[in-house]
Amino acid sequence: MTAILSARGLTVRYPGARRPAVENVSFDLSAGSTLAVVGESGSGKSTIALAISRLLDPAVEIRADLLTFEGRDLLTMDRAGLRRLRARRIAMVFQSPFGSWNPTRTIGAQLTDGLRAAGIWPSGRDRLLTLLRRVGIHEPADRLRDYPHRFSGGMLQRAMIAGALVARPSLLIADEPTSALDTTVQAEILDILDELRDEHQLALMLISHDLGVVARVASSTLVLYGGRLVESGPTTALYRNAGHPYTRALLAAAPRLDGPRKVRLPALAPGPVVDHGCAFAPRCPQAESRCAETTPGLRPVSGLNVACHLAETPRST
Amino acid sequence: MPGSTSIRGVGSRLVRLAIGLGWILLVVWIAVSITFVLSRLVPADPARLAAGLDAGPEQVAQVRTDMGLDQPLPVQYLRYLGDLVTGDLGDSIQTRQPVLDDLAAAVPASLELILLSYLGYAAIGVLAGIAWAYWPRGPHTGLLRFTGVIGVAVPVFWVGLLLQIVFAGKLQWFPVAGNFDYGGTGVPKVTGMGLVDTILTGEPGLIGQAARTVALPVTTLVITHIAVTMTLMRSSLAEQLRRPYVRTARARGVTERRLVFVDALRNSLNPVITMLGLQLGWSLGGVVIIEVIFSWPGLGLYAYHAFGAFDYNAIMAITILSTVVFVVVNALVGTLYPVLDPRLRESR
Amino acid sequence: MTVWQVPGVAAWRLRRPRAAEWWVGATVFGIAALLLVPGWLAPHDPYALAVSERFQAPSVAHPFGTDDAGRDIFSRVVHGARYSLGTSLIVVSVAAVFGTAYGAVAAWSGGLVDRILMRVVDVFLAFPYLVFAMAIAASLGRGLGSTLIALVVLWWPSYARMVRGQVLSLLKDQHIKAARTLGASGGQILRWHVVPHTYDQVTVRYTLDLGQALVALTGLSFLGLGAQPPSPEWGLLIADAKQYALTAWWAAVLPGLVVFLVALNFMAIGDRLRRDGTGR
């Protein structure tokens, strides 16, 4: 299966920052599969999403050995080309439903903007209505005339998802699509995303800080810490056999339905900026002296890729 | 379910309209009353001034009775209010004519300055502000910021005098003072505004003359008012462009130009419109200095002379007029907000 | 209590870069000098008539030239600072203090009291200043005093409104509730915990207003409403010079330039303070 989206060594640096927000991240994403990008705030996961569709401020520096979408180089593409991609091939869904819509224009007007940009207006109107119904918005023709403040958060996200898919994109990036919603609504939205991915054979990139969300829909997962990739691989393998102490701590610390949490991550402000060595070393319960000295590279360990010195040796527990 | 066409919706809109009108009347009434109080606090004797300094005691007494100044204060107040309502603003001491007539003659001249300059600084200011927000980086930024800071601090009288000295006095490109010469050119006075009336005649020579006459005063007004509008427009628009919904629109592939003009602009107009409303409301006071410098026979110059001659009725009439204008303009501006923001439209 | 203990000053000092401090310091020094010891700075007596020297263009002896009565304009400007600058300082200071207190009390009281107080503010804001100043001057008599009153009356409402808005949002803060539970009275809380947080915004506004008040005051004097002759107040200087502006331009243009530059200085400082505050 060829990858729709490929990145090698992706590095993003904000102007004036000491360290890159994203450092040397690589991944592949294929049609019909879901890739989850997991990390806490500040880990760089949203930055990756914005970097792919080139929505970052022009002053932000993006470098990579490879960053291609459907075989085309995203780094060298011109602005008009990028805009066309955003209109037709790459779709995005954002985190805060209420902030992401212009409060003074109707939902329909804003969605129509997208269709016009993709060149499918008014031809795509029926498809839009169908999609809106598909995501659970009844009487879509009427609702298109409403303003955002008449909708609930969940409905706004559904509308955003429907709007994103009208132009038949091949990639959908969902940046924390459910974080601002109630848990019940969260599950519904995730299911919709999952089903749509299957129906339309989308490549779905799902960004989240919530492992529960990830487990539900993602086939493979990237774990980010401090802008670096610390672990990646099939989601099920990650859950059973996580190699990196951070991943293990995340898994153990996740709220569970079957009992109290086993572990709490050591409470710290976002970790100190580390210039060399493993980014997680200051917070790692198993850190050794070499962890602070040399940066661990990603190595395959039991079906996963782990960036940890200690993962190479068989663990005692 | 749209709320504006139901009976309840119409009713509440009428109520809000009534409240708005009531508010205007309240403020006007307060202004009028304060003006009355001030006029009665005066140490000098209004009857004496009205009668003239060389009038004898009986004449002064007669004038006092005519003006009702021998009545108790509450009665004077009611009479004053009554006069106002009927439009009797008294007579001007200087011109010996009804103040109302004086005002009517002076209004078009001021209106010409106000309208032309307003058009200038509102349009240019808004456009410059938009351009600045749209192209935030570049060689023009320094100049715009410089203009923004300078423009707010520059005193009106200084700019006016400077322009007058340089362009009228030294270079003689423009007349030093006065408005359009109706008498000398024989142009019929249709609106009382030189530029408009000459345009109506269609003769380029006359139009040019009127334009030159009005150029310096209007330029002064534009220069001194433009900075505020421009800076406000730019900061408001720049702020909107940072909002998440703009990023969403970009992610949909919308062009930058459409983003700015269709999405962000309407959300950024609120404070700008407020400011423009305030500026229009203040404009009556603002033209005074200009009219004094350029001897422009409008309300401002009239007020200046009235003040100089202690001409009560005139002063009070002008106070009331400008307050009313200010309040009404701002009330009208207030009606624009729901047009811009649908969230404000519905009754709760 | 040292100056560093006044709430806000210490924080201010930590944040501002050196250049801004020098600038503000120089401004304060300059104003103090002009207000307190104009005699030292002015080369001539501002009131001395010397008819033989009228209408002299700017020169080394008379940097700003002389006016129609032979008086040295530069000296007049220096001495006039007391009237123009001094009065604006008083106007803005009184307006700021009163307006801040008013706004804080309104926000703290909340409910009906707040709404009534704010309605009063709205009424005051509805008056165009120029005409109102005229009316006050017409009744109370012309002079710097009545203009001062008129300007204060017209200037304080904007502080009230600004501070009230800020205090309202500050009151939702947690540590205010903490101070309350510790038993501090309303007045104490307001004074020591809440209002100091408004100092940043108020200071910016104050600085900007100093410039604007100066321009407004000199404008009113220009029209004859403020200072009266033979006071060397700047607006009055320019008004006098207006009649012969076409021949002796320096008499009107140079004092006007001073007004402009002084106002500009204040506004630039205020603008810089505002940008430092918002970090943009």
Side-chain angles (χ1 to χ4, degrees):
Chain A
M1 205 181 325
T2 46
I4 299 269
L5 177 66
S6 291
R8 298 282 179 275
L10 177 63
T11 302
V12 180
R13 188 189 287 271
Y14 285 96
R18 267 180 68 190
R19 306 247 358 115
V22 173
E23 195 172 356
N24 201 13
V25 171
S26 307
F27 56 84
D28 288 307
L29 179 56
S30 312
S33 53
T34 305
L35 173 68
V37 180
V38 172
E40 47 189 47
S41 346
S43 56
K45 50 194 203 298
S46 288
T47 309
I48 292 183
L50 294 173
I52 292 171
S53 43
R54 303 296 303 279
L55 285 174
L56 291 169
D57 189 275
V60 177
E61 191 191 312
I62 307 178
R63 276 178 309 156
D65 297 326
L66 185 76
L67 185 63
T68 58
F69 172 71
E70 290 181 334
R72 282 175 279 187
D73 183 5
L74 288 174
L75 292 172
T76 55
M77 198 175 286
D78 65 313
R79 280 177 52 181
L82 285 168
R83 212 183 327 115
R84 270 194 302 273
L85 275 190
R86 278 187 234 128
R88 285 177 245 220
R89 313 296 310 146
I90 303 180
M92 278 194 79
V93 175
F94 294 97
Q95 175 175 357
S96 41
F98 286 103
S100 303
W101 294 89
N102 186 339
T104 60
R105 296 179 70 205
T106 61
I107 299 288
Q110 298 180 57
L111 289 176
T112 313
D113 272 354
L115 278 99
R116 262 205 209 92
I120 52 173
W121 182 259
S123 52
R125 188 171 187 270
D126 289 334
R127 184 171 156 78
L128 176 62
L129 293 174
T130 313
L131 275 168
L132 285 169
R133 259 178 242 117
R134 169 70 187 82
V135 298
I137 295 182
H138 307 295
E139 319 266 353
D142 286 335
R143 305 247 48 198
L144 281 182
R145 281 197 286 266
D146 277 333
Y147 288 92
H149 63 271
R150 306 287 232 126
F151 285 65
S152 69
M155 295 301 243
L156 285 176
Q157 289 299 65
R158 289 170 209 252
M160 174 124 32
I161 294 171
L165 297 180
V166 183
R168 299 178 208 273
S170 47
L171 170 64
L172 173 61
I173 306 177
D175 186 357
E176 307 239 31
T178 56
S179 306
L181 304 171
D182 296 332
T183 26
T184 39
V185 182
Q186 280 191 20
E188 290 169 11
I189 302 288
L190 286 171
D191 286 342
I192 290 174
L193 280 173
D194 195 33
E195 289 157 14
L196 289 171
R197 172 201 55 80
D198 192 41
E199 285 163 34
H200 301 251
Q201 280 298 294
L202 290 170
L204 175 61
M205 175 180 273
L206 181 60
I207 296 172
S208 184
H209 62 275
D210 189 340
L211 282 165
V213 160
V214 160
R216 205 179 171 98
V217 291
S219 46
S220 46
T221 302
L222 301 176
V223 181
L224 284 185
Y225 186 81
R228 298 184 195 153
L229 197 49
V230 296
E231 187 153 12
S232 68
T235 313
T236 38
L238 207 81
Y239 269 76
R240 288 202 211 108
N241 264 342
H244 197 281
Y246 177 61
T247 319
R248 273 185 268 141
L250 272 183
L251 286 167
R256 305 164 73 90
L257 289 173
D258 58 347
R261 289 186 212 190
K262 294 203 179 128
V263 152
R264 283 191 164 269
L265 274 177
L268 273 184
V273 175
V274 160
D275 283 324
H276 51 79
C278 173
F280 188 58
R283 283 167 83 179
C284 182
Q286 297 159 349
E288 298 175 353
S289 53
R290 59 173 163 156
C291 295
E293 285 156 25
T294 40
T295 312
L298 268 180
R299 272 171 253 279
V301 176
S302 338
L304 296 163
N305 290 314
V306 187
C308 179
H309 295 302
L310 305 167
E312 294 146 42
T313 57
R315 300 192 303 278
S316 44
T317 301
Chain B
M1 195 164 313
S4 50
T5 52
S6 67
I7 304 254
R8 215 150 171 234
V10 170
S12 75
R13 266 164 116 205
L14 280 175
V15 166
R16 272 185 290 156
L17 197 63
I19 292 179
L21 278 174
W23 177 242
I24 293 178
L25 283 173
L26 178 69
V27 175
V28 170
W29 175 68
I30 292 179
V32 161
S33 306
I34 293 181
T35 309
F36 174 79
V37 168
L38 288 176
S39 73
R40 296 302 180 254
L41 279 181
V42 172
D45 181 2
R48 167 147 268 259
L49 286 170
L53 291 169
D54 48 330
E58 305 94 32
Q59 284 167 300
V60 175
Q62 180 61 42
V63 171
R64 185 170 287 123
T65 319
D66 285 341
M67 289 173 76
L69 289 170
D70 48 346
Q71 306 277 355
L73 267 182
V75 178
Q76 286 190 43
Y77 181 58
L78 287 173
R79 183 178 152 158
Y80 172 76
L81 285 180
D83 284 343
L84 273 184
V85 170
T86 56
D88 178 6
L89 294 166
D91 289 350
S92 158
I93 295 176
Q94 299 168 272
T95 64
R96 301 273 159 204
Q97 275 180 298
V99 169
L100 197 59
D101 292 349
D102 287 341
L103 290 182
V107 162
S110 292
L111 211 54
E112 184 174 15
L113 290 185
I114 292 174
L115 288 178
L116 283 176
S117 61
Y118 193 69
L119 227 64
Y121 63 77
I124 300 178
V126 166
L127 289 175
I130 295 177
W132 190 359
Y134 193 66
W135 291 293
R137 283 173 273 263
H140 57 279
T141 329
L143 179 67
L144 286 172
R145 168 161 285 142
F146 180 74
T147 314
V149 176
I150 292 231
V152 184
V154 72
V156 175
F157 54 85
W158 188 64
V159 175
L161 280 173
L162 202 58
L163 288 180
Q164 188 180 50
I165 292 172
V166 173
F167 291 99
K170 299 275 192 245
L171 294 173
Q172 304 206 339
W173 290 349
F174 303 95
V176 171
N179 69 337
F180 186 71
D181 183 10
Y182 282 96
T185 55
V187 173
K189 214 178 215 182
V190 176
T191 61
M193 297 192 256
L195 197 57
V196 174
D197 291 340
T198 51
I199 289 178
L200 288 176
T201 66
E203 286 182 51
L206 288 175
I207 298 177
Q209 190 180 340
R212 269 198 307 278
T213 315
V214 92
L216 288 183
V218 168
T219 308
T220 311
L221 281 171
V222 169
I223 289 177
T224 49
H225 285 81
I226 204 168
V228 176
T229 319
M230 176 180 77
T231 316
L232 194 55
M233 179 79 246
R234 175 240 171 192
S235 64
S236 186
L237 186 55
E239 216 227 287
Q240 286 300 315
L241 289 176
R242 278 191 283 268
R243 294 279 172 93
Y245 69 82
V246 171
R247 188 192 53 189
T248 311
R250 262 195 208 111
R252 287 199 184 104
V254 178
T255 59
E256 285 298 306
R257 214 179 53 191
R258 198 184 158 82
L259 264 185
V260 167
F261 286 100
V262 177
D263 259 309
L265 194 56
R266 85 178 63 189
N267 293 348
S268 55
L269 287 178
N270 189 312
V272 177
I273 289 189
T274 308
M275 176 56 74
L276 285 177
L278 285 174
Q279 286 186 310
L280 186 59
W282 285 327
S283 56
L284 207 45
V287 288
V288 176
I289 293 179
I290 301 280
E291 290 185 11
V292 165
I293 292 177
F294 292 97
S295 301
W296 192 271
L299 290 170
L301 194 61
Y302 184 68
Y304 179 69
H305 287 315
F307 177 74
F310 242 11
D311 189 347
Y312 281 121
N313 292 328
I315 295 176
M316 299 312 158
I318 290 171
T319 309
I320 296 170
L321 178 63
S322 50
T323 308
V324 169
V325 164
F326 185 78
V327 172
V328 167
V329 166
N330 278 288
L332 286 176
V333 167
T335 61
L336 286 177
Y337 295 131
V339 169
L340 284 178
D341 189 343
R343 290 173 293 183
L344 298 174
R345 279 181 213 166
E346 284 147 38
S347 45
R348 300 274 160 84
Chain C
M1 187 168 167
T2 69
V3 68
W4 301 124
Q5 281 173 321
V6 172
V9 175
W12 185 87
R13 187 152 195 278
L14 284 172
R15 291 209 304 266
R16 303 295 175 251
R18 291 284 178 76
E21 277 196 356
W22 274 110
W23 188 6
V24 172
T27 304
V28 171
F29 180 74
I31 294 177
L34 282 173
L35 290 179
L36 298 172
V37 290
W40 291 1
L41 301 167
H44 300 269
D45 177 356
Y47 299 100
L49 307 175
V51 180
S52 57
E53 296 188 12
R54 26 186 351 228
F55 296 137
Q56 286 194 357
S59 60
V60 174
H62 298 285
F64 279 13
T66 59
D67 64 1
D68 62 333
R71 294 173 287 197
D72 176 38
I73 295 179
F74 182 72
S75 306
R76 299 202 80 207
V77 168
V78 168
H79 281 267
R82 228 176 223 177
Y83 302 89
S84 304
L85 262 184
T87 313
S88 340
L89 263 168
I90 297 176
V91 166
V92 183
S93 304
V94 171
V97 168
F98 181 68
T100 303
Y102 188 99
V105 167
W108 178 263
S109 315
L112 188 62
V113 176
D114 177 33
R115 281 175 58 185
I116 294 179
L117 288 177
M118 278 303 125
R119 277 307 191 196
V120 172
V121 167
D122 285 343
V123 169
F124 273 96
L125 281 174
F127 288 100
Y129 83 93
L130 192 64
V131 186
F132 196 65
M134 275 188 176
I136 290 187
S139 42
L140 296 179
R142 301 188 221 192
L144 221 42
S146 54
T147 312
L148 199 155
I149 293 175
L151 283 177
V152 169
V153 165
L154 294 164
W155 220 281
W156 71 264
S158 51
Y159 283 94
R161 189 177 264 178
M162 180 179 78
V163 169
R164 171 197 177 253
Q166 252 200 313
V167 171
L168 273 185
S169 53
L170 283 171
L171 284 177
K172 295 180 191 156
D173 226 0
Q174 290 296 10
H175 76 272
I176 307 296
K177 296 191 181 126
R180 237 185 174 145
T181 57
L182 284 176
S185 79
Q188 283 180 319
I189 296 179
L190 264 186
R191 234 176 111 211
W192 298 113
H193 295 276
V194 179
V195 173
H197 288 280
T198 63
Y199 286 176
D200 270 354
Q201 261 203 21
V202 169
T203 311
V204 169
R205 194 48 175 292
Y206 181 84
T207 317
L208 292 171
D209 275 351
L210 279 178
Q212 290 195 309
L214 180 63
V215 172
L217 183 69
T218 45
L220 286 174
S221 294
F222 177 78
L223 292 174
L225 276 108
Q228 298 300 305
S231 162
E233 196 270 340
W234 296 343
L236 197 53
L237 280 186
I238 301 172
D240 286 340
K242 178 171 71 81
Q243 302 140 297
Y244 46 90
L246 294 174
T247 46
W249 59 268
W250 51 88
V253 172
L254 292 175
L257 184 63
V258 170
V259 172
F260 173 41
L261 292 176
V262 173
L264 182 62
N265 189 40
F266 284 124
M267 308 221 55
I269 294 179
D271 186 56
R272 176 61 175 276
L273 284 178
R274 174 170 44 199
R275 280 195 288 144
D276 282 350
T278 58
R280 202 170 283 138

